[in-house]
Amino acid sequence: MSNEDERPEHRLRRELPEEIPASVSSEAPVPEEKSGPTVTGRQRLVQGLWPPRVSRAQLIVAVLLFGLGFGLAVQVASNSNSDSALRGARQEDLVRILDELDDRTQRLEDEKQGLQKQRDELENSSDQAEEARKQTAEKEKQLGILAGTVAAQGPGITMTIDDTKGTVEADMLLDAVQELRAAGAEAIQVNDVRVVANTYLTDSGKSVSVDGNKINAPYRFKVIGKPQDLEPALNIPGGVVQTLEKEQATVTVGRSAKIVVDALRAAKQPDYARSSSQ
């Protein structure tokens, strides 16, 4: 071994591996990337639509739309057929069709007027029946007041006859009743007895009986009518009040805005008389 080989740089060179030539790395084959087939947008759209994925709701909507479209098509076809038939019709046929339509319109109008007339008649008859019922009820009340079967109230007077000596007789009370009726009395009650058209008064010892009902003094009259007519009729000279005062009876007459006549009589059915109305 020479001295040259013993130098440090020569020793280091021997220990290092040999350099790889640059040509070897440049000539080495480069692996190529593998790529699949290219997919276009239209192909992706087709893949998304087929096979179809149909839900239950979509199927129902499709059936409804189909039915609607079919109905519209039938309607259009029917109108087209009618229009084409009218366009192809003769003038005589068109005139006949127009006359039939006019007749039908007139019949419908007559039927409408007839129905309206029936409605008006029913409404009028209903109103008349209701008015008749009201009048009947009012008439029944009036007759009930006169017959004494219903209570009555209204303006009038009260007359109290205090007979301490027992000198008042039935004919004196009857004169008072007759005088009150002549003055326009509409309802009269003596004590607890209702006075009506067929009322009669009789003496019963030192008292008086009205329609068989014995009443005792003081005799209290409750009278419904116009107070301005009833009171003067009792106080006329030589009238009821003066006659009773001559018999030493005390008579008190007073006006009132509300008199209640509540004594009632039972309705009596006639034995022989019947209504002549059918």
Side-chain angles (χ1 to χ4, degrees), residues 246-265:
K246 287 179 180 180
E247 298 296 331
Q248 298 180 354
T250 303
V251 183
T252 304
V253 180
R255 299 183 184 185
S256 177
K258 181 179 180 181
I259 299 294
V260 178
V261 175
D262 52 5
L264 303 180
R265 298 175 68 95

Side-chain angles (χ1 to χ4, degrees), residues 120-151:
D120 296 339
E121 290 177 352
L122 290 174
E123 290 179 351
N124 293 334
S125 63
S126 177
D127 294 341
Q128 292 175 359
E130 182 64 24
E131 183 63 25
R133 283 192 292 269
K134 290 181 180 179
Q135 293 180 1
T136 301
E138 186 64 26
K139 191 67 175 179
E140 183 179 0
K141 291 181 180 179
Q142 295 175 0
L143 294 176
I145 291 174
L146 296 177
T149 57
V150 297

Side-chain angles (χ1 to χ4, degrees), residues 36-45 47:
T38 304
V39 180
T40 63
R42 181 177 299 178
Q43 291 175 343
R44 287 195 298 270
L45 178 61
Q47 291 176 0

Side-chain angles (χ1 to χ4, degrees), residues 137-168:
E138 186 64 26
K139 191 67 175 179
E140 183 179 0
K141 291 181 180 179
Q142 295 175 0
L143 294 176
I145 291 174
L146 296 177
T149 57
V150 297
Q153 67 177 17
I157 65 169
T158 60
M159 180 175 67
T160 303
I161 303 173
D162 192 2
D163 181 22
T164 57
K165 298 186 178 295
T167 57
V168 176

Side-chain angles (χ1 to χ4, degrees), residues 78-175:
S78 176
N79 294 335
S80 299
N81 292 335
S82 300
D83 294 341
S84 61
L86 291 177
R87 282 196 297 267
R90 297 178 302 173
Q91 183 177 0
E92 294 81 0
D93 296 335
L94 292 177
V95 173
R96 178 179 56 79
I97 293 173
L98 183 60
D99 292 340
E100 291 178 355
L101 290 176
D102 292 339
D103 294 340
R104 183 179 180 185
T105 302
Q106 186 62 38
R107 288 195 301 271
L108 292 175
E109 185 65 25
D110 295 341
E111 184 178 357
K112 175 185 175 182
Q113 293 179 357
L115 293 175
Q116 289 178 346
K117 183 178 180 181
Q118 291 180 2
R119 182 196 63 186
D120 296 339
E121 290 177 352
L122 290 174
E123 290 179 351
N124 293 334
S125 63
S126 177
D127 294 341
Q128 292 175 359
E130 182 64 24
E131 183 63 25
R133 283 192 292 269
K134 290 181 180 179
Q135 293 180 1
T136 301
E138 186 64 26
K139 191 67 175 179
E140 183 179 0
K141 291 181 180 179
Q142 295 175 0
L143 294 176
I145 291 174
L146 296 177
T149 57
V150 297
Q153 67 177 17
I157 65 169
T158 60
M159 180 175 67
T160 303
I161 303 173
D162 192 2
D163 181 22
T164 57
K165 298 186 178 295
T167 57
V168 176
E169 297 179 351
D171 58 343
M172 300 177 186
L173 298 183
L174 181 59
D175 290 341

